[in-house]
Amino acid sequence: QVQLVESGGGLVQAGGSLRLSCEASGRSDIDALDWYRQSPGKQREAVAQSTWSGYITYADSVKGRFTIIRDNTKNIVHLQMNDLKPEDTGVYYCHTDRNDEIYGLIDYWGQGTQVTVSS
């Protein structure tokens, strides 16, 4: 079993910055550590994704503003968010997954942390 615990959300004015953190525990073979968000009235979307080997992708809407920072030794991933915009408002979730021999791909989610950007 994998546990993901997020921290760091809050209220910030447009143009400000926030740093989210997620600590993963329960397994030693964690590969993907990602950040998703769910904005009001929208489906959950991938914001930034990382692998243990260092492959990173970003959603087009956050490129150049968000940076995912990963510490493999501690299974911690941060999301540094700069130049925040009101449309970045939402609940941010930490995510990982693993392939189980019996059940296939299993997704794990954190509890979510609220980010609110005021205009």
Side-chain angles (χ1 to χ4, degrees), residues 55-75:
Y55 183 73
I56 293 173
T57 60
Y58 296 99
D60 287 343
S61 59
V62 307
K63 282 180 181 176
R65 300 187 297 120
F66 290 12
T67 303
I68 192 167
I69 304 161
R70 181 168 173 162
D71 183 343
N72 284 334
T73 63
K74 300 178 181 178
N75 277 338

Side-chain angles (χ1 to χ4, degrees), residues 81-94:
M81 305 186 293
N82 297 329
D83 190 22
L84 282 160
K85 303 177 180 182
E87 50 264 41
D88 295 318
T89 294
V91 180
Y92 283 69
Y93 297 92
C94 187

Side-chain angles (χ1 to χ4, degrees), residues 37-45 61 86-89:
R37 72 182 174 197
Q38 187 155 18
S39 301
K42 296 185 178 180
Q43 289 188 331
R44 193 174 297 189
E45 62 175 344
S61 59
E87 50 264 41
D88 295 318
T89 294

